[in-house]
Amino acid sequence: MKLLILAALLGVTLAKVSNITVKGIAVCNKKRVPGLKIELMEEDGVSLDDKLATVNTDDQGNFNVFGKDDEWGTIEPYLFIYHKCRVKKEGCWTRTRYEVPQAKINGVYDMTYVTLDVAQADEKAVNCA
């Protein structure tokens, strides 16, 4: 029992808050895309990933999302961008995952132009009938 309490206290002591700001401009076929859902997520190896924040692109396709989390090490953030670029089937969306470089933790990751018409390795069709 003492060992369990010691492990819990050590975990709290070693945990630290890390943050990330991710910004960019969503583009499809050389046009900015307004109204897209952007989710800032944090990967957890054992449990479900944490959703740190959700924003929508503005009327010019710009987004700026900030999130923070308390982890033992450093956070492992990534973005989901939900879009219809390259989608042929009515009612379907594509959820594309974009990794955030570890070197940008506790700072700003400027993705500049996020070109949605270029397929990524981690994409999934969502909301398809």
Side-chain angles (χ1 to χ4, degrees):
M1 182 67 168
K2 288 181 184 180
L3 186 58
L4 183 59
I5 293 171
L6 180 61
L9 288 173
L10 185 59
V12 170
T13 304
L14 294 176
K16 65 179 180 176
V17 176
S18 298
N19 68 73
I20 185 68
T21 298
V22 182
K23 63 182 187 173
I25 304 165
V27 178
C28 178
N29 297 318
K30 299 181 183 178
K31 295 180 181 160
R32 294 172 179 232
V33 187
L36 298 181
K37 181 167 86 169
I38 313 285
E39 290 179 336
L40 179 59
M41 304 292 293
E42 199 280 318
E43 191 166 328
D44 284 330
V46 179
S47 61
L48 293 175
D49 291 354
D50 300 321
K51 185 183 303 183
L52 303 181
T54 302
V55 299
N56 290 317
T57 55
D58 68 13
D59 60 348
Q60 294 296 310
N62 300 301
F63 64 90
N64 189 324
V65 60
F66 170 83
K68 63 183 178 178
D69 202 6
D70 197 358
E71 294 286 330
W72 278 39
T74 184
I75 59 175
E76 296 178 44
Y78 61 92
L79 284 184
F80 279 143
I81 299 180
Y82 295 83
H83 61 91
K84 291 187 175 188
C85 193
R86 297 179 284 108
V87 174
K88 304 274 191 263
K89 188 173 180 183
E90 185 67 32
C92 287
W93 289 78
T94 298
R95 183 186 75 188
T96 304
R97 179 177 168 148
Y98 295 90
E99 299 298 325
V100 175
Q102 284 292 305
K104 300 298 183 178
I105 304 302
N106 295 316
V108 177
Y109 177 40
D110 186 353
M111 297 179 74
T112 313
Y113 290 101
V114 182
T115 309
L116 302 171
D117 43 332
V118 175
Q120 301 295 312
D122 194 347
E123 291 189 337
K124 179 180 179 184
V126 293
N127 295 335
C128 289

